[in-house]
Amino acid sequence: PGQQMSRAREIYIERNGQPPEDWMLSMVVDPGHTMCGVLFIATPPPELGNQRFVFGEIAIQRSTSMLFATEVEKYMRVNRLHGFTRFIIDAHGGALTSSETGISPRAAYSRDMKSLGIQCFETESSFISGSDDIAGRETCLRNWLSIQPETGEPKVFIDVRKCPRLVRTLPNFMKKEVNGIVQDEANRRLECHHIECLEYGSA
């Protein structure tokens, strides 16, 4: 209350959730066969404020590498997205070698993205590794979600219209309770694919 909305937030609202071309775009992936989670995060230029905008998601049931690449290509094309700076993937899950194909999801996803021309500036069709420091990235995300004293707003804004699965599962990020005692860690027994994508993005 009493705080002025950031210019970045004004621009995001004016453009109805379409990030401007000079904002940095990241795609974050939590791979998995049962469920693959994908988040799209935009970072405005620093002169507009130190904020992040989660402007889209994909949830893929029974994912394969080609299905993943096809869904990502379709999402980027339909939403007129281009000029991504980086692709981030779960370092642990992305490195597990498939017993069926003998290659990791990370390698297979990169191969099939390349075949469809999906690239970013930093690594072309490859990924950088998301942090495997669970406690550290939890802290980073809680910082993003906290109200920043200088602005009166959180550091991250989630477009609830475009990220329904993330919004639905975000309560799972609440610290788990064991025998009535609140633990200093999130509850990861429930669905948390998109929450973990948000963690990788924050870290």
Side-chain angles (χ1 to χ4, degrees):
Q3 296 280 356
Q4 186 175 6
M5 183 186 298
S6 70
R7 181 58 186 146
R9 191 175 169 196
E10 289 177 347
I11 292 171
Y12 185 84
I13 293 172
E14 289 167 2
R15 294 175 59 88
N16 194 31
Q18 183 72 19
E21 292 185 1
D22 62 341
W23 287 24
M24 188 187 85
L25 304 183
S26 301
M27 178 177 72
V28 191
V29 182
D30 182 27
H33 175 70
T34 303
M35 165 66 71
C36 173
V38 184
L39 280 189
F40 298 94
I41 302 174
T43 303
E47 61 267 21
L48 296 180
N50 186 24
Q51 295 173 319
R52 308 291 185 271
F53 294 80
V54 185
F55 65 93
E57 69 176 23
I58 303 175
I60 309 171
Q61 301 276 6
R62 295 181 294 279
S63 179
T64 64
S65 59
M66 182 50 75
L67 178 57
F68 162 81
T70 301
E71 289 296 316
V72 168
E73 190 280 330
K74 176 182 176 182
Y75 186 91
M76 291 181 174
R77 174 168 38 82
V78 169
N79 291 281
R80 304 185 306 281
L81 298 173
H82 53 83
F84 275 76
T85 296
R86 62 174 59 112
F87 299 149
I88 304 170
I89 196 168
D90 167 17
H92 177 70
L96 297 176
T97 302
S98 168
S99 60
E100 297 178 1
T101 64
I103 64 174
S104 68
R106 180 178 191 147
Y109 281 24
S110 295
R111 176 199 63 202
D112 291 338
M113 286 200 306
K114 183 177 182 179
S115 73
L116 297 182
I118 302 169
Q119 294 187 332
C120 66
F121 292 126
E122 288 190 351
T123 55
E124 297 184 345
S125 297
S126 299
F127 295 89
I128 63 174
S129 296
S131 171
D132 58 4
D133 176 2
I134 296 177
R137 66 180 196 245
E138 275 190 17
T139 298
C140 290
L141 178 52
R142 293 188 192 282
N143 176 261
W144 267 21
L145 294 168
S146 299
I147 298 299
Q148 308 296 305
E150 64 274 13
T151 63
E153 299 179 329
K155 188 171 182 177
V156 63
F157 289 95
I158 299 170
D159 194 325
V160 298
R161 305 164 303 165
K162 298 181 177 182
C163 305
R165 199 169 198 111
L166 173 61
V167 171
R168 180 169 60 80
T169 58
L170 197 55
N172 298 352
F173 187 64
M174 300 292 289
K175 294 184 178 182
K176 66 183 179 182
E177 188 173 310
V178 178
N179 297 326
I181 301 174
V182 177
Q183 308 295 303
D184 192 26
E185 58 183 304
N187 188 347
R188 298 181 187 273
R189 293 186 177 181
L190 303 175
E191 182 184 334
C192 58
H193 301 285
H194 290 86
I195 299 168
E196 292 192 337
C197 285
L198 194 54
E199 287 182 344
Y200 298 131
S202 68

